[in-house]
């Protein structure tokens, strides 16, 4: 048989999807599953966006510009203006999801065996994008006891070598829900400046911040125009995961010109989905606030519920719609599989995302799960109930 590439073999399975066959079997057996494992919001996609597709008058579904429709990039620039962040349409390249933006950026900044530094736990697909781009991820571990805040900046500095090209953060964080403070962002910026590194911020959850906290974008940093790159997307903001529309923003002209070549090679981002995404930006501030308020209630329900389960440790997320919980079991992958295969309450069970896949260090995260609070409050309460009984039954059988 012809051989498969080393990087193909190295590509990790998604920790979020790898237990899907067990879930499918559970459904075939008639069980209902509450999906706490995946960040697929249940919030309705804005009608504005769906109507823009229904009512369009296109006669040819043509390619768009490789960097995306100018009118759409203008809309994105206007959105940032409302946040007092100075972005112009030329700073923006529309991509096929934030995923493609991440791939383009890694392709632009790293050569074979170059390194980027990422605090762990981190969004698991960063690993896959880095492998595809032949670059290495160097991690600095953040901890649940410290609410996953930025580890000591000296640890980052110690990891910097001649191969280091960038620091990548997710703000607010998937999977941790950590919202970086202005001081944390400033510390990272100073380091990036000192060693002439890119500072990449994945801000796809930037609208989801709670408790009157304020999101600080790296685009607000002074004197960092050559260094900062933002990744963003409509997937979560407007509950449009299937549109596959994201973008990257930078004020570094060389980076943009390079990313444009990557964009040209794949011709264009999806035309119809851009029409829908552009329309979604007309969603009223009141509607966005309502969505955020809904997630805040869900977060509070989930965290209060988890805190009441014996042996569970959880850090309260300030943003995004995930939390990491440490469970009183040795291996959450085994526990998650068991919940799907062998456990139910009134024929219902829950699916979690074992957190080991969000760490590069293979020893870490084995007792942790990532929980996405993308279900309504009633389902969340039932999920917590099932989890409590599941933990009791699992630990009793051992
Ligand atoms: C942190 C983070 N970045 C990027 C993405 C990719 O988003 P998109 O659907 O826009 O490709 C996700 C999706 O879950 C995510 O959680």
């Amino acid at each position: 048989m012809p051989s498969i590439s080393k990087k193909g073999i190295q590509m990790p399975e998604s920790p979020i999807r790898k237990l899907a066959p067990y879930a499918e079997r559970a459904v075939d057996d008639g069980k209902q599953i509450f999906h706490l494992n995946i960040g697929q919001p249940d919030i309705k996609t804005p009608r504005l966006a769906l109507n823009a597709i229904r009512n369009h008058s296109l006669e040819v579904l043509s390619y768009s510009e490789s960097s995306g429709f100018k009118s759409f990039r203008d809309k994105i620039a206007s959105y940032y203006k409302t946040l007092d962040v100075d972005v112009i349409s030329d700073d923006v390249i529309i991509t096929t999801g934030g995923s493609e933006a991440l791939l383009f950026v890694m392709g632009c900044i790293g050569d074979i065996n170059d390194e980027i530094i990422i605090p762990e736990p981190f969004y698991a697909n960063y690993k896959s994008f880095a492998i595809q781009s032949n670059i290495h991820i160097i991690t600095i571990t953040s901890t649940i006891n410290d609410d996953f805040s930025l580890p000591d900046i000296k640890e980052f500095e110690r990891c910097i070598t001649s191969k280091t090209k960038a620091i990548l953060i997710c703000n607010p964080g998937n999977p941790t829900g950590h919202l970086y403070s202005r001081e944390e962002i400033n510390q990272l910026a100073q380091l990036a400046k000192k060693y002439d590194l890119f500072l990449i911020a994945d801000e796809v959850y930037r609208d989801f911040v709670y408790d009157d906290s304020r999101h600080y974008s790296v685009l607000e940093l002074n004197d960092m125009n050559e260094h900062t790159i933002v990744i963003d997307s409509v997937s979560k903001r407007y509950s449009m995961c299937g549109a596959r529309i994201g973008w990257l923003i930078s004020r570094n002209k060389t980076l943009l010109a390079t990313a444009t070549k990557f964009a040209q090679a794949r011709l264009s981002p999806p035309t119809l989905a851009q029409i829908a995404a552009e329309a979604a930006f007309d969603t009223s501030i009141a509607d966005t606030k309502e969505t955020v308020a809904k997630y805040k209630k869900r977060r509070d329900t989930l965290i209060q519920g988890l805190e009441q389960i014996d042996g569970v440790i959880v850090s309260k997320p300030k943003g995004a719609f995930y939390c990491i919980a440490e469970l009183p079991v040795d291996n959450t992958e085994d526990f998650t599989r068991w919940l799907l295969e062998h456990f139910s309450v009134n024929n219902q069970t829950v699916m979690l995302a074992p957190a080991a896949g969000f760490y590069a260090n293979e020893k870490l995260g084995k007792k942790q799960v990532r929980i996405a609070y993308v279900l309504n409050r009633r389902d969340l309460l039932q999920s917590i109930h099932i989890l409590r009984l599941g933990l009791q039954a699992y630990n009793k059988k051992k």
Side-chain angles (χ1 to χ4, degrees):
M1 186 178 118
S3 63
I4 295 295
S5 67
K6 285 197 190 75
K7 78 175 157 198
I9 293 164
Q10 268 178 31
M11 280 287 280
E13 273 184 289
S14 160
I16 303 157
R17 295 173 184 258
K18 79 189 222 191
L19 298 177
Y22 296 93
E24 279 160 26
R25 244 171 277 147
V27 170
D28 287 347
D29 291 346
K31 279 189 206 167
Q32 182 191 353
I33 300 177
F34 293 112
H35 284 275
L36 303 174
N37 59 310
I38 192 157
Q40 169 59 60
D42 64 340
I43 306 285
K44 288 215 166 81
T45 302
R47 208 169 308 145
L48 284 168
L50 298 173
N51 284 345
I53 306 180
R54 285 191 192 109
N55 303 333
H56 75 83
S57 56
L58 281 179
E59 289 187 359
V60 177
L61 196 48
S62 56
Y63 294 123
S64 74
E65 296 88 326
S66 294
S67 50
F69 286 126
K70 167 83 166 58
S71 56
F72 183 25
R73 289 183 289 118
D74 279 337
K75 262 278 163 61
I76 292 172
S78 310
Y79 162 83
Y80 281 96
K81 293 239 159 57
T82 65
L83 303 165
D84 269 343
V85 179
D86 195 20
V87 170
I88 57 169
S89 57
D90 284 352
D91 301 337
V92 181
I93 295 177
I94 310 291
T95 52
T96 309
S99 306
E100 191 181 58
L102 282 157
L103 255 181
F104 283 1
V105 168
M106 290 197 194
C108 289
I109 66 169
D111 283 313
I112 193 159
N113 292 334
D114 278 342
E115 296 170 354
I116 53 174
I117 303 178
I118 309 182
E120 69 179 345
F122 57 82
Y123 174 54
N125 284 335
Y126 294 161
K127 225 184 269 182
S128 313
F129 301 145
I131 290 172
Q132 288 177 63
S133 311
N134 292 308
I135 57 182
H136 296 299
I137 290 180
I138 307 296
T139 52
I140 314 280
T141 306
S142 64
T143 64
I144 197 163
N145 298 332
D146 206 11
D147 281 335
F148 297 105
S149 5
L150 190 75
D152 189 341
I153 201 71
K154 291 199 198 93
E155 286 191 52
F156 285 80
E157 190 156 17
R158 275 197 287 275
C159 288
I160 294 174
T161 69
S162 59
K163 292 191 173 301
T164 311
K165 296 293 161 176
I167 299 171
L168 166 59
I169 57 164
C170 182
N171 187 28
N174 174 9
T176 63
H178 179 67
L179 181 68
Y180 288 92
S181 66
R182 173 170 242 165
E183 205 197 313
E184 288 175 323
I185 299 285
N186 281 342
Q187 285 181 37
L188 289 165
Q190 278 166 19
L191 199 64
K193 187 102 194 201
K194 181 170 170 190
Y195 290 93
D196 211 11
L197 306 175
F198 286 104
L199 177 57
I200 308 163
D202 180 341
E203 299 185 354
V204 306
Y205 297 96
R206 68 152 295 146
D207 281 3
F208 303 100
V209 297
Y210 313 116
D211 311 321
D212 298 325
S213 307
R214 148 98 150 84
H215 178 268
Y216 289 102
S217 172
V218 294
L219 294 171
E220 294 176 65
L221 289 162
N222 290 327
D223 208 19
M224 285 290 288
N225 285 354
E226 300 302 317
H227 299 81
T228 48
I229 305 172
V230 157
I231 308 295
D232 207 340
S233 163
V234 293
S235 288
K236 315 292 165 159
R237 172 173 298 141
Y238 296 122
S239 206
M240 293 177 70
C241 295
R244 309 308 309 128
I245 292 291
W247 56 94
L248 64 89
I249 302 177
S250 176
R251 301 181 186 112
N252 177 324
K253 300 286 176 237
T254 313
L255 184 280
L256 285 167
T258 312
T260 302
K261 293 190 280 180
F262 282 79
Q264 286 167 350
R266 64 79 166 103
L267 306 178
S268 81
T271 296
L272 264 187
Q274 283 186 81
I275 293 171
E278 184 175 331
F281 271 82
D282 289 332
T283 301
S284 71
I285 292 174
D287 283 352
T288 306
K289 277 195 172 149
E290 197 185 312
T291 304
V292 175
K294 211 177 258 181
Y295 278 116
K296 182 191 173 312
K297 276 198 187 134
R298 293 171 175 192
R299 178 204 61 171
D300 292 344
T301 304
L302 176 70
I303 301 299
Q304 275 160 23
L306 289 174
E307 280 174 346
Q308 280 163 21
I309 303 179
D310 268 356
V312 171
I313 301 169
V314 64
S315 91
K316 190 171 183 178
K318 294 210 183 81
F321 37 66
Y322 307 97
C323 74
I324 293 272
E326 199 156 295
L327 306 184
V329 299
D330 289 337
N331 184 322
T332 52
E333 184 165 331
D334 184 68
F335 174 61
T336 303
R337 208 180 305 127
W338 178 84
L339 283 174
L340 294 170
E341 279 191 301
H342 302 294
F343 187 73
S344 64
V345 176
N346 298 332
N347 228 13
Q348 295 175 322
T349 193
V350 292
M351 186 164 177
L352 308 162
F358 297 95
Y359 288 84
N361 183 332
E362 283 174 12
K363 292 199 182 109
L364 298 177
K366 290 205 184 325
K367 287 171 173 257
Q368 297 176 348
V369 285
R370 186 196 72 173
I371 299 180
Y373 41 99
V374 288
L375 305 179
N376 66 51
R377 278 186 77 223
R378 204 194 48 216
D379 290 351
L380 268 181
L381 285 168
Q382 181 61 3
S383 302
I384 295 161
H385 177 61
I386 294 169
L387 181 59
R388 177 190 294 110
L389 297 181
L391 281 167
Q392 283 167 5
Y394 181 79
N395 283 329
K396 206 177 269 172
K397 85 179 171 63
K398 287 171 105 192

